Amino acid sequence: VRLVESGGGLVQAGGSLRLSCTASGMITSVFNPHDWGWYSQVPGKQRELVAGIVGIGSTSSPSSTNYADSVKGRFTISRDNARKRVYLQMNNLKPEDTAVYYCNTLKESLPWGQGTQVTVSS
């Protein structure tokens, strides 16, 4: 299994980006039970969880989301189980959001991908 993140880039403050993460090589029946998160990392600091999604989003298992205080109201995490993808919609970006963003399960149980760089200019 390989986690492949994409969608990062350089954006001005106030702009938006949509990050995608694909669990390549993972079958749906393995993807679905996991709870997923997006993490950010800046040089010299540990990765931090910025958004998490719990539950597969079905009628029997509705999903819930949680966010770091710094991104509440601006970021939205979602999942597409059929495509084995996790998304992070980032709105009203701020320079302090600049980081490399990674996805993983909330248990951080998979090898980390290469991440995707988000740079927000003021």
Side-chain angles (χ1 to χ4, degrees), residues 26-34 56 81 84:
M26 180 178 279
I27 60 176
T28 302
S29 61
V30 175
F31 178 90
N32 287 356
H34 284 300
I56 66 172
N81 297 324
K84 297 166 289 182

Side-chain angles (χ1 to χ4, degrees), residues 3-6 19-21 36-42 45-51 77 86 88 99-105 111-118:
L3 297 172
V4 181
E5 299 93 348
S6 63
L19 307 185
S20 295
C21 169
W36 293 90
W38 279 95
Y39 303 77
S40 68
Q41 187 173 29
V42 297
K45 292 190 176 181
Q46 290 189 332
R47 283 189 190 95
E48 297 181 334
L49 179 67
V50 296
I77 186 171
V86 185
L88 186 68
V100 179
Y101 286 78
Y102 303 84
C103 72
N104 209 318
T105 69
W112 294 95
Q114 83 288 348
T116 186
Q117 174 71 49
V118 171

Side-chain angles (χ1 to χ4, degrees), residues 18-104:
R18 188 191 192 209
L19 307 185
S20 295
C21 169
T22 301
S24 177
M26 180 178 279
I27 60 176
T28 302
S29 61
V30 175
F31 178 90
N32 287 356
H34 284 300
D35 302 321
W36 293 90
W38 279 95
Y39 303 77
S40 68
Q41 187 173 29
V42 297
K45 292 190 176 181
Q46 290 189 332
R47 283 189 190 95
E48 297 181 334
L49 179 67
V50 296
I53 185 164
V54 176
I56 66 172
S58 67
T59 302
S60 60
S61 179
S63 60
S64 63
T65 57
N66 52 80
Y67 300 92
D69 288 343
S70 59
V71 307
K72 278 181 183 176
R74 300 188 297 120
F75 291 8
T76 303
I77 186 171
S78 60
R79 61 189 293 167
D80 183 335
N81 297 324
R83 291 183 170 85
K84 297 166 289 182
R85 288 181 184 167
V86 185
Y87 300 102
L88 186 68
Q89 179 67 43
M90 312 168 78
N91 296 329
N92 190 22
L93 282 159
K94 302 178 180 181
E96 50 264 42
D97 296 322
T98 295
V100 179
Y101 286 78
Y102 303 84
C103 72
N104 209 318

